[in-house]
């Protein structure tokens, strides 16, 4: 085997390997895009399930809006009663209660906590932090 033939074989193998690497990069890109889309859809489905679970009483009968609001307030009050010395941030309280952690939901709870603080059930030891008044 002479040097020219060896170089030709080496170039052929290099071209085939480069083509395979390009093909694998394209597959990775397609799979990464598909994974990102699938994870986003999964997050949407999880959020939807949490909303439905939060609105549906255990016996699966439709709940009136006032009952749902009262239930959320009661769950908040119960959380503070069960952990009287604990300081909650709104996001942590949502996670503790299994509520949605999107910005609109967090803002509603922030308003509720503000009302409970004005009613002197809660106190604010720091900005965005709440605990049961002792």
């Amino acid at each position: 085997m002479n040097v020219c033939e060896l170089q030709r074989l080496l170039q052929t193998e290099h071209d085939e390997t480069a083509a395979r690497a390009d093909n694998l990069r394209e597959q990775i890109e397609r799979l990464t895009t598909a994974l990102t889309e699938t994870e986003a859809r999964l997050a949407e489905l999880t959020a939807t399930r949490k909303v439905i679970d939060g609105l549906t009483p255990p016996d699966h009968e439709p709940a009136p809006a006032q009952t749902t609001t009262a239930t959320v307030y009661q769950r908040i009050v119960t959380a503070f009663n069960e952990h009287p010395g604990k300081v909650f941030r709104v996001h942590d309280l949502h996670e503790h209660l299994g509520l949605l952690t999107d910005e609109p939901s967090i803002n509603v709870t922030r308003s509720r906590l503000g009302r409970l603080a004005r009613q002197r059930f809660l106190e604010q030891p720091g900005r965005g932090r709440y605990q049961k008044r002792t």
Side-chain angles (χ1 to χ4, degrees):
M1 186 181 281
N2 64 31
V3 173
C4 289
E5 188 176 331
L6 186 59
Q7 285 180 335
R8 184 187 57 77
L9 289 172
L10 183 59
Q11 184 63 45
T12 301
E13 186 170 345
H14 178 271
D15 293 344
E16 289 172 356
T17 304
R20 184 160 192 265
D22 288 341
N23 184 23
L24 289 172
R25 282 187 202 96
E26 289 173 7
Q27 287 180 17
I28 289 170
E29 187 175 328
R30 283 194 309 271
L31 289 172
T32 301
T33 300
L35 178 61
T36 301
E37 291 169 355
T38 302
E39 287 176 335
R41 180 64 179 147
L42 184 59
E44 291 171 356
L45 292 171
T46 300
T48 301
R49 178 177 296 250
K50 283 183 179 180
V51 168
I52 291 170
D53 288 346
L55 297 175
T56 308
D59 58 2
H60 301 293
E61 292 179 16
Q66 288 179 338
T67 305
T68 302
T69 302
T71 303
V72 173
Y73 265 108
Q74 186 57 47
R75 290 175 65 198
I76 291 170
V77 169
T78 300
F80 281 101
N81 284 335
E82 289 175 350
H83 308 283
K86 183 171 181 169
V87 176
F88 284 98
R89 295 179 60 88
V90 181
H91 191 273
D92 298 335
L93 181 63
H94 266 244
E95 287 180 351
H96 178 77
L97 296 175
L99 299 172
L100 293 174
T101 56
D102 59 17
E103 203 56 40
S105 298
I106 295 286
N107 286 337
V108 169
T109 300
R110 193 173 282 120
S111 295
R112 289 175 176 155
L113 293 174
R115 282 186 214 117
L116 290 170
R118 285 189 299 277
Q119 294 170 355
R120 300 199 178 266
F121 177 78
L122 299 179
E123 58 185 9
Q124 283 187 274
R127 185 170 182 253
R129 299 173 190 277
Y130 298 87
Q131 77 180 91
K132 184 174 179 179
R133 184 178 284 282
T134 54

